[in-house]
């Protein structure tokens, strides 16, 4: 009951700020104290309860308050590079979810990126603002960053289930996955080699033990986010929650 109440409080904040992140003061953080976004157990590492059993085979409850096992959680590095597999805890209510950005490409036009305007989410992309509708060229310093990723659900459950009944246990919030700061996801799809494209603007489905290759097209304004400084952040700092996250260097260089 206590865990459920805590989870509801946490996800009230998540509705307001998205799956939020906190300050990180060390290069790697290992969380050992169970919380609403940590797993109840891990396949290989969970330690047995140290409560003693008496001679009758009944558990001695006198040590119950000290018997909670330490539950190790995969390290969440402060920074990472392309090709590095990182644990993303922003979009889970428990368990292990991993993300790897395998490759990034930068484009000056939708045609070059292989995208059509009518397929965009149109969160910021607009012919009246940053797009030439005739040539599909991006204007005013905007670029399309195309990120090729592998997402992996080891044993994770979504964080959205408690606040959105349309989500199943293994439907993960695309927004909570992370993004380039000040960037806007305009395109999302499964790898073209995967014939079962069940993605939507909001979520993707990933069963425990399953991996998928996904592609995200994020529109960025290089006047605000220079290419050489662009990172994909699996979370962001939040004054209320202290959830670690990773900044993945996209190695986009300084060409504009």
């Amino acid at each position: 009951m206590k865990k459920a109440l805590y989870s509801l409080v946490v996800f009230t904040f998540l509705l307001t700020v998205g799956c939020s992140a906190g300050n990180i003061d060390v290069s790697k953080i290992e969380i050992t104290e169970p919380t609403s976004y940590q797993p109840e157990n891990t396949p290989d590492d969970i330690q047995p309860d140290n409560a003693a059993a008496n001679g009758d085979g009944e558990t001695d409850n006198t040590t119950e308050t000290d018997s909670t096992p330490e539950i190790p959680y995969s390290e969440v590095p402060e920074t990472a590079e392309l090709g590095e597999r990182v644990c993303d805890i922003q979009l889970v209510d428990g368990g292990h979810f991993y993300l790897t950005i395998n490759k990034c490409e930068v484009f000056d036009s939708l045609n070059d990126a292989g995208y059509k305007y009518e397929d965009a989410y149109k969160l910021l992309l607009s012919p009246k603002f940053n797009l030439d509708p005739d040539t599909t060229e991006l204007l005013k310093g905007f670029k399309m960053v195309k990120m090729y990723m592998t997402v992996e659900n080891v044993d994770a459950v979504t964080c959205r289930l408690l606040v959105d009944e349309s989500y199943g246990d293994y439907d993960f919030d695309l927004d909570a996955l992370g993004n380039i700061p000040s960037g806007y996801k305009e395109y999302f799809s499964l790898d073209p080699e995967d014939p079962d494209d069940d993605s939507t603007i909001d979520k993707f489905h990933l069963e425990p033990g399953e991996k998928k290759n996904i592609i995200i097209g994020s529109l960025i304004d290089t006047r605000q986010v220079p290419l050489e400084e662009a990172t994909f952040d699996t979370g962001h700092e939040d004054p209320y929650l202290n959830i670690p996250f990773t900044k993945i260097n996209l190695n986009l260089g300084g060409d504009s």
Side-chain angles (χ1 to χ4, degrees), residues 235-251:
H236 62 275
E237 294 183 1
D238 183 83
Y240 301 104
L241 302 174
N242 188 33
I243 304 176
F245 66 98
T246 302
K247 292 178 176 287
I248 303 174
N249 181 14
L250 298 181
N251 294 325

Side-chain angles (χ1 to χ4, degrees), residues 18 35 85 87 112 132 151 155 187 197 244:
T35 71
R85 180 174 177 260
C87 192
D112 290 344
D132 184 325
V151 288
D155 55 1
Y187 299 92
D197 191 341

Side-chain angles (χ1 to χ4, degrees), residues 12-110:
T12 299
F13 286 119
L14 294 183
L15 280 174
T16 304
V17 298
C19 289
S20 304
N23 296 321
I24 300 176
D25 297 324
V26 294
S27 61
K28 290 188 176 181
I29 293 178
E30 184 172 352
I31 305 171
T32 57
E33 191 172 303
T35 71
S36 66
Y37 55 84
Q38 288 181 252
E40 291 294 335
N41 55 67
T42 55
D44 302 316
D45 300 324
I46 188 168
Q47 301 297 318
D49 195 316
N50 62 4
N54 61 28
D56 298 329
E58 297 178 354
T59 301
D60 181 1
N61 293 325
T62 58
T63 59
E64 182 177 356
T65 56
D66 298 324
S67 65
T68 302
E70 289 189 355
I71 303 175
Y73 201 95
S74 298
E75 290 182 329
V76 182
E78 182 180 3
T79 60
E81 300 295 329
L82 290 180
E84 290 188 26
R85 180 174 177 260
V86 300
C87 192
D88 188 344
I89 62 176
Q90 297 291 317
L91 72 176
V92 306
D93 185 43
H96 300 75
F97 186 101
Y98 291 93
L99 164 68
T100 306
I101 302 182
N102 304 301
K103 181 177 68 172
C104 287
E105 297 172 335
V106 182
F107 298 96
D108 297 320
S109 73
L110 298 189

Side-chain angles (χ1 to χ4, degrees), residues 18-20 86-92 97-101 147-152 159-160 172-180 185 187-189 202-204 206 212 214-216 232-236 245-246 248:
C19 289
S20 304
V86 300
C87 192
D88 188 344
I89 62 176
Q90 297 291 317
L91 72 176
V92 306
F97 186 101
Y98 291 93
L99 164 68
T100 306
I101 302 182
M147 295 170 284
Y148 299 79
M149 307 182 186
T150 299
V151 288
E152 176 185 357
C159 72
R160 292 287 298 179
F172 294 94
D173 186 3
L174 180 61
D175 185 57
L177 183 70
N179 199 16
I180 301 173
K185 294 188 186 79
Y187 299 92
F188 171 63
S189 65
D202 298 316
K203 62 188 175 183
F204 59 95
L206 200 62
K212 285 184 179 179
I214 65 174
I215 302 173
I216 292 176
F232 182 92
D233 296 2
T234 63
H236 62 275
F245 66 98
T246 302
I248 303 174

Side-chain angles (χ1 to χ4, degrees), residues 125-195:
L125 189 64
S126 171
K128 298 179 180 180
F129 176 51
N130 52 20
L131 177 69
D132 184 325
D134 297 323
T135 66
T136 75
E137 181 183 358
L138 296 169
L139 310 175
K140 301 181 181 179
F142 282 86
K143 305 287 184 182
M144 182 62 65
V145 179
K146 199 170 183 179
M147 295 170 284
Y148 299 79
M149 307 182 186
T150 299
V151 288
E152 176 185 357
N153 181 8
V154 175
D155 55 1
V157 176
T158 182
C159 72
R160 292 287 298 179
L161 185 59
L162 295 180
V163 294
D164 190 337
E165 294 182 354
S166 71
Y167 279 68
D169 287 344
Y170 310 118
D171 291 330
F172 294 94
D173 186 3
L174 180 61
D175 185 57
L177 183 70
N179 199 16
I180 301 173
S182 300
Y184 294 82
K185 294 188 186 79
E186 292 288 356
Y187 299 92
F188 171 63
S189 65
L190 297 181
D191 191 297
E193 297 179 358
D194 189 332

